[in-house]
Amino acid sequence: MNPTLAIEPSVFYFGTPVALLSTLMPGDETANITPISSAWALDDTYVLGLSNSGRAMRNLRENGELVINLPDAALWESIERIADTTGVAEVPRHKREKYRYEPDKWTLGRFTPRPSGVVLPPRIAECPVQMEARVTNMTPLGEDGDATIVHAKVLRTHVHQALTVPGTSHIDLNAWNPVYYTFRHYFSQGERVGVSFRAEQ
């Protein structure tokens, strides 16, 4: 057996897909983009972990609609271009050392907005998967209240045609190459090592 060692990691990002949330700014109907790596799906609900000091959380409290855009690995540089920015004009004190205000992340990240069908925030055209969603629940995280767990129900899913298996609603796994965030580094998907008994063939 391999021996173990008790450690105290500064982060617990062992490997999660990156998502780009587009949310509506209150008042002017422009949209903000927020990169996150705390996101996972349970049936048709996405569970998102969001900082209360960020623009996305503030927007969702006002509007409750969003698009969960899933980039592929080729977009990692676009993600990083907006990673140190915030849509909050008065940058929170704890972020000022590393973050700066950016009102137009679309141009900075070289992203293209596309109208959504059932929600107000736009989709990101470059992302191969774009899921229109609506918030169904918000739960404070932790005793200090710095973050919130958001449940968002997926209402409509858009996928680049080249990513689909023709004549089905299945994703072509040989074409899908999501970008993963692992201990603050970007990784693409590795080789397939097996298939679950639940996989639809």
Side-chain angles (χ1 to χ4, degrees), residues 1-17:
M1 294 180 61
N2 291 325
T4 61
L5 180 67
I7 65 171
E8 297 181 3
S10 59
V11 293
F12 289 91
Y13 297 111
F14 283 87
T16 52

Side-chain angles (χ1 to χ4, degrees), residues 14 17 25 28 36 45 52 96 102 104 107 151 158 174 177 180-181 197:
F14 283 87
M25 300 286 281
D28 59 10
I36 70 167
T45 294
N52 288 332
R96 289 177 188 167
E102 175 53 60
D104 185 7
T107 299
H151 295 184
H158 307 261
N174 293 315
N177 187 29
Y180 287 92
Y181 195 59
F197 77 96

Side-chain angles (χ1 to χ4, degrees), residues 57-71:
M57 195 64 241
R58 298 184 188 190
N59 290 351
L60 289 176
R61 291 192 193 283
E62 290 281 336
N63 176 264
E65 295 183 343
L66 68 157
V67 180
I68 305 163
N69 303 276
L70 300 183

